[in-house]
Amino acid sequence: MAPRTLAALALVLLAAVGLAGFHFWSVRPQAVDAPDTVEAGATKVVEDPFRPRGADPVPGPAAGVPPSPPPEPAGRIIVDVSGKVHRPGVQRLPAGSRVADALRAAGGVRAGADVTGLNRARILLDGEQVVVGLPQAQPAPGAALGAADGSAGAPGAAGPAAPLSLNTATKEQLETLPGVGPVLAQHIIDHRTESGGFRSVDELRQVNGIGDRRFADLQPLVQP
């Protein structure tokens, strides 16, 4: 064979040996590290495909930990409106709202409800309760005299509410009692008319619609 032919065959053999060596090197088995264990409560990093290169990763909720509820939007307050309104319950209002705004959100005041002691122009605070139409606390006997001579108790202290007379109260006054609506107030008046008046508070048990639980709520608030 000619020397040129031998040189060409040698080059082909060397190229074949090089390709075979590279092939066996690339398919050799390699060690793989186990994934890191994520501890409970740890923060998981969420990769954002649209995050600019070099920016800090955005932390996400950890595995197994429920996400916290979103906070109340800034500039909002939550108040509880109860009593003689059409839709009592929790209301969400803009910050700086007044009692009148809470009453409108609760559907307005029911007919016959006493709102004399309710300041509807007062600015509301987050988390407070607005009670409509329930009996207001009356000053204890002698409180006015004590205030005059400086012997009254702590400022803002009020005595127990005066009990409502079952024999003289009107239907509207009876509706100011907790749990008493127009129908139950009429039942109390009907029983008073049929029996000639209440001789004791215990006779409330005989009124249709008043059970043991409601009687326990009304007993300290009424008298014959």
Side-chain angles (χ1 to χ4, degrees), residues 103-186:
L103 298 181
R104 281 193 294 269
V109 178
R110 288 170 48 184
D114 184 13
V115 294
T116 303
L118 193 62
N119 182 5
R120 284 170 283 185
R122 180 174 58 83
I123 296 178
L124 295 167
L125 299 176
D126 183 47
E128 75 168 282
Q129 183 182 39
V130 179
V131 182
V132 182
L134 297 184
Q136 301 294 323
Q138 301 294 330
L145 179 61
D149 59 13
S151 60
L164 186 65
S165 174
L166 294 173
N167 290 322
T168 60
T170 63
K171 181 179 177 182
E172 289 75 15
Q173 290 174 330
L174 291 172
E175 289 181 18
T176 62
L177 296 171
V180 178
V183 176
L184 186 54
Q186 187 61 49

Side-chain angles (χ1 to χ4, degrees), residues 15-195:
V17 171
L19 289 175
F22 176 77
H23 173 73
F24 285 112
W25 175 264
S26 61
V27 298
R28 77 189 189 283
Q30 299 180 1
V32 178
D33 296 334
D36 296 336
T37 303
V38 179
E39 298 180 357
T43 302
K44 181 178 64 177
V45 176
V46 179
E47 293 293 341
D48 186 358
F50 300 100
R51 178 174 55 87
R53 184 177 300 276
D56 294 336
V58 179
V65 179
S68 58
E72 190 68 19
R76 305 283 291 181
I77 61 173
I78 300 178
V79 296
D80 180 16
V81 184
S82 61
K84 304 297 183 178
V85 291
H86 291 286
R87 294 193 302 272
V90 175
Q91 306 293 338
R92 288 171 170 82
L93 302 170
S97 298
R98 301 180 184 268
V99 173
D101 300 322
L103 298 181
R104 281 193 294 269
V109 178
R110 288 170 48 184
D114 184 13
V115 294
T116 303
L118 193 62
N119 182 5
R120 284 170 283 185
R122 180 174 58 83
I123 296 178
L124 295 167
L125 299 176
D126 183 47
E128 75 168 282
Q129 183 182 39
V130 179
V131 182
V132 182
L134 297 184
Q136 301 294 323
Q138 301 294 330
L145 179 61
D149 59 13
S151 60
L164 186 65
S165 174
L166 294 173
N167 290 322
T168 60
T170 63
K171 181 179 177 182
E172 289 75 15
Q173 290 174 330
L174 291 172
E175 289 181 18
T176 62
L177 296 171
V180 178
V183 176
L184 186 54
Q186 187 61 49
H187 287 338
I188 295 175
I189 294 176
D190 293 342
H191 180 83
R192 180 176 68 191
T193 303
E194 295 171 0
S195 61

